[in-house]
Amino acid sequence: ELKVEQNPLFLSMQEGKNYTIYCNYSTTSDRLYWYRQDPGKSLESLFVLLSNGAVKQEGRLMASLDTKARLSTLHITAAVHDLSATYFCAVAWRIQGAQKLVFGQGTRLTINP
Amino acid sequence: NAGVTQTPKFRILKIGQSMTLQCAQDMNHNYMYWYRQDPGMGLKLIYYSVGAGITDKGEVPNGYNVSRSTTEDFPLRLELAAPSQTSVYFCASSPPGIRTDTQYFGPGTRLTVL
């Protein structure tokens, strides 16, 4: 059974600081996703990581993937209040061409002025 | 494109009642999915479909049924609502093609069973 664990589950930080969210998963997968969810809203796709060593960056967020360690990280640089949200990683495996995503528990990020 | 749409946005059911959550997408995506999200948790897959007429169970299918008669629509049916089904339900779709199959999520349906 594929398991996905994120840590920390809660993170309160000040604007301007850097921090990293970790996502560990238990079995081999061909891709990993990061999503953002604002309170009461749907999920917004941030990144898809397809191969070992993949790194993607968008603004103050950077995601990386180490398939050998079964670890992905989401790094936040010089945090701003607008990045406050819950962040989920999701690991995919494929059945009949469709993906089955297994989500981590989410990391609730609060950025204080 | 409207993307993935879901109706209703909110619903309160009594124990034992039935209802259908509607999901539609206008992106001509082959693959569609239903997830539930319990408070403070990640999403769990209920059912998925690889195309019209083809559906299969996910992690937590008990108490639910689905059908896929067209490419666009993927309704989720609750037959005998139970308090354990109180959750937010998200529908998602993804296009064919391994390199381009990010799942796009609908706005969700918040269901309370009392």
Side-chain angles (χ1 to χ4, degrees):
Chain A
E1 180 187 350
L2 176 56
K3 293 187 178 179
V4 181
E5 293 188 350
Q6 285 181 238
N7 71 83
L9 299 184
F10 299 93
L11 180 55
S12 180
M13 54 193 291
Q14 289 193 315
E15 281 190 327
K17 299 291 187 182
N18 304 333
Y19 210 81
T20 301
I21 299 170
Y22 297 89
C23 174
N24 290 90
Y25 55 100
S26 60
T27 60
T28 303
S29 171
D30 68 351
R31 62 197 55 210
L32 185 141
Y33 295 86
W34 284 96
Y35 285 90
R36 169 181 171 146
Q37 186 179 38
D38 292 305
K41 302 293 186 182
S42 188
L43 277 75
E44 174 190 355
S45 176
L46 295 174
F47 302 109
V48 53
L49 302 168
L50 300 177
S51 59
N52 189 43
V55 177
K56 290 198 173 178
Q57 184 163 5
E58 180 74 33
R60 301 174 187 274
L61 300 178
M62 183 174 71
S64 66
L65 179 62
D66 181 345
T67 58
K68 294 179 181 177
R70 296 178 186 156
L71 171 68
S72 180
T73 61
L74 181 66
H75 187 73
I76 302 144
T77 301
V80 293
H81 179 70
D82 286 352
L83 291 178
S84 296
T86 299
Y87 293 86
F88 292 95
C89 64
V91 178
W93 83 93
R94 195 166 301 281
I95 293 183
Q96 301 180 55
Q99 285 187 344
K100 295 177 87 168
L101 291 183
V102 178
F103 283 80
Q105 312 95 304
T107 297
R108 185 175 297 180
L109 175 62
T110 303
I111 299 170
N112 304 305
Chain B
N1 286 351
V4 181
T5 58
Q6 292 182 238
T7 56
K9 291 186 178 180
F10 304 93
R11 183 72 185 268
I12 298 174
L13 285 182
K14 294 182 179 179
I15 294 171
Q17 286 186 318
S18 301
M19 77 164 295
T20 299
L21 283 67
Q22 301 292 344
C23 173
Q25 53 88 13
D26 61 358
M27 299 176 282
N28 201 31
H29 286 175
N30 287 23
Y31 306 121
M32 296 187 75
Y33 311 83
W34 273 107
Y35 294 90
R36 61 176 286 173
Q37 184 180 29
D38 297 329
M41 302 295 289
L43 280 67
K44 292 190 175 181
L45 183 64
I46 305 172
Y47 271 94
Y48 68 98
S49 170
V50 302
I54 306 170
T55 63
D56 207 346
K57 297 177 180 179
E59 291 179 81
V60 289
N62 291 344
Y64 307 96
N65 281 300
V66 293
S67 60
R68 183 101 181 265
S69 56
T70 67
T71 299
E72 294 78 20
D73 300 298
F74 190 39
L76 178 72
R77 177 87 178 155
L78 283 71
E79 291 292 349
L80 292 170
S84 61
Q85 293 178 305
T86 294
S87 191
V88 180
Y89 292 83
F90 290 100
C91 179
S93 71
S94 63
I98 292 175
R99 306 299 290 183
T100 60
D101 57 359
T102 296
Q103 291 186 23
Y104 297 88
F105 285 82
T109 294
R110 188 175 298 270
L111 176 67
T112 302
V113 182
L114 301 174

